[in-house]
Amino acid sequence: MLHTPSGGARVGTAAGDAGPGSGPMSIGAVLEALREEFPEVTVSKIRFLEAEGLVEPARTPAGYRKFRAEDVERLSHVLRMQRDHYLPLKVIREQLAGATDGAGPSAVPPSPGRPAEPEGREAARRAASPPAAVRLDREELLAAVSAAPEELTAWEEYGLLGADAEGRYGHGELAVARLVAELGRHGLEARHLRALKLCAERQLDLAEQTVASLRRHPDARTRELAEGTVQELAGLSARLYAAFVQAAPGASGD
């Protein structure tokens, strides 16, 4: 069973405001409570998670949704599992069901009163956690990123991602699909993102050329060092790209 850190007092506090004495929350109030930790969440996303059976808010006689504090915490947990472990909703639903049945510990989110974890420690623990093993079929990938079949077809036609020989998508493909889908909601299509993929491949080729001599070294430890160096160079290249974007004129809104 995967563990994921709580968002701390940010969402917990917001959810706690909906506890005893403050009454149930509307979907708009839930959106505000979640957005501090999950700025990309939307009303449509909350409704989608409800339609998928991840949360079941009460309804007024007029049909309006009314969320309890535990509903907000459950939504927070689902969003963290998607963000931190790239898990599809099917797996998250099974984990939540297992926790409800007593079959698995810690699949449900911590209580709103749990102390906030220091931000640096939380980030370090998240970075140290290995990614979950992921092997999704086409339908599962589409459900995990809330995309349409024709969108995935376009992503594959432009070489942004692809299935393996068994028609399955792994952790890397899921991570790419999530980002591509999010960019698509802002109007960027697969053809616009092809240049980014080519740039990433060129940077990886450059890193491989840098360590080519180390890979041929007779010492096994030196060859292992080559692999670590490639990963380090790839990470530095990604950070440099982000720095270029942030330093570009107009990026800060000045």
Side-chain angles (χ1 to χ4, degrees):
M1 192 69 64
L2 282 172
H3 298 258
T4 190
S6 166
R10 293 170 298 181
V11 172
T13 301
D17 292 342
S22 61
M25 302 173 70
S26 67
I27 194 169
V30 172
L31 182 66
E32 291 303 313
L34 293 172
R35 269 189 167 167
E36 188 171 356
E37 184 179 355
F38 309 100
E40 74 286 352
V41 74
T42 62
V43 167
S44 296
K45 176 70 170 182
I46 296 173
R47 289 173 177 162
F48 174 74
L49 294 176
E50 179 188 355
E52 291 293 314
L54 275 302
V55 65
E56 297 180 5
R59 294 272 185 165
T60 68
Y64 294 106
R65 296 172 179 83
K66 290 299 179 182
F67 294 81
R68 302 160 297 175
E70 51 265 38
D71 294 326
V72 181
E73 283 300 323
R74 188 178 177 94
L75 285 168
S76 299
H77 176 69
V78 171
L79 293 170
R80 287 188 201 108
M81 295 302 282
Q82 285 189 307
R83 179 194 65 194
D84 299 344
H85 298 291
Y86 302 101
L87 290 184
L89 294 181
K90 177 182 177 182
V91 175
I92 298 174
R93 188 186 301 108
E94 291 172 353
Q95 290 193 0
L96 290 170
T100 302
D101 296 339
S106 70
V108 294
S111 65
R114 177 175 175 173
E117 187 172 14
E119 184 176 351
R121 187 184 305 168
E122 176 186 342
R125 185 171 70 178
R126 187 181 302 161
S129 300
V134 172
R135 280 180 57 78
L136 306 176
D137 62 25
R138 190 176 184 84
E139 289 71 24
E140 289 171 332
L141 180 67
L142 290 171
V145 302
S146 303
E150 57 269 21
E151 291 180 291
L152 179 53
T153 298
W155 301 343
E156 292 179 318
E157 288 178 349
Y158 281 92
L160 303 183
L161 56 86
D164 62 18
E166 298 178 359
R168 297 280 178 168
Y169 301 86
H171 178 272
E173 287 73 26
L174 178 56
V176 169
R178 284 194 185 284
L179 293 171
V180 171
E182 190 63 29
L183 287 167
R185 296 183 186 105
H186 292 276
L188 292 176
E189 300 176 6
R191 59 190 176 90
H192 301 134
L193 303 176
R194 175 61 177 165
L196 291 180
K197 175 68 180 300
L198 294 175
C199 180
E201 290 175 348
R202 286 195 295 268
Q203 287 303 116
L204 186 58
D205 287 343
L206 179 60
E208 290 286 356
Q209 294 172 23
T210 303
V211 302
S213 60
L214 296 179
R215 287 195 183 281
R216 297 190 296 267
H217 199 278
D219 182 63
R221 287 179 296 181
T222 301
R223 294 196 299 272
E224 290 177 2
L225 176 63
E227 181 61 32
T229 302
V230 168
Q231 297 301 319
E232 182 179 3
L233 290 173
L236 289 171
S237 296
R239 289 168 56 189
L240 179 60
Y241 174 83
F244 280 147
V245 170
Q246 293 181 5
S252 63
D254 295 339

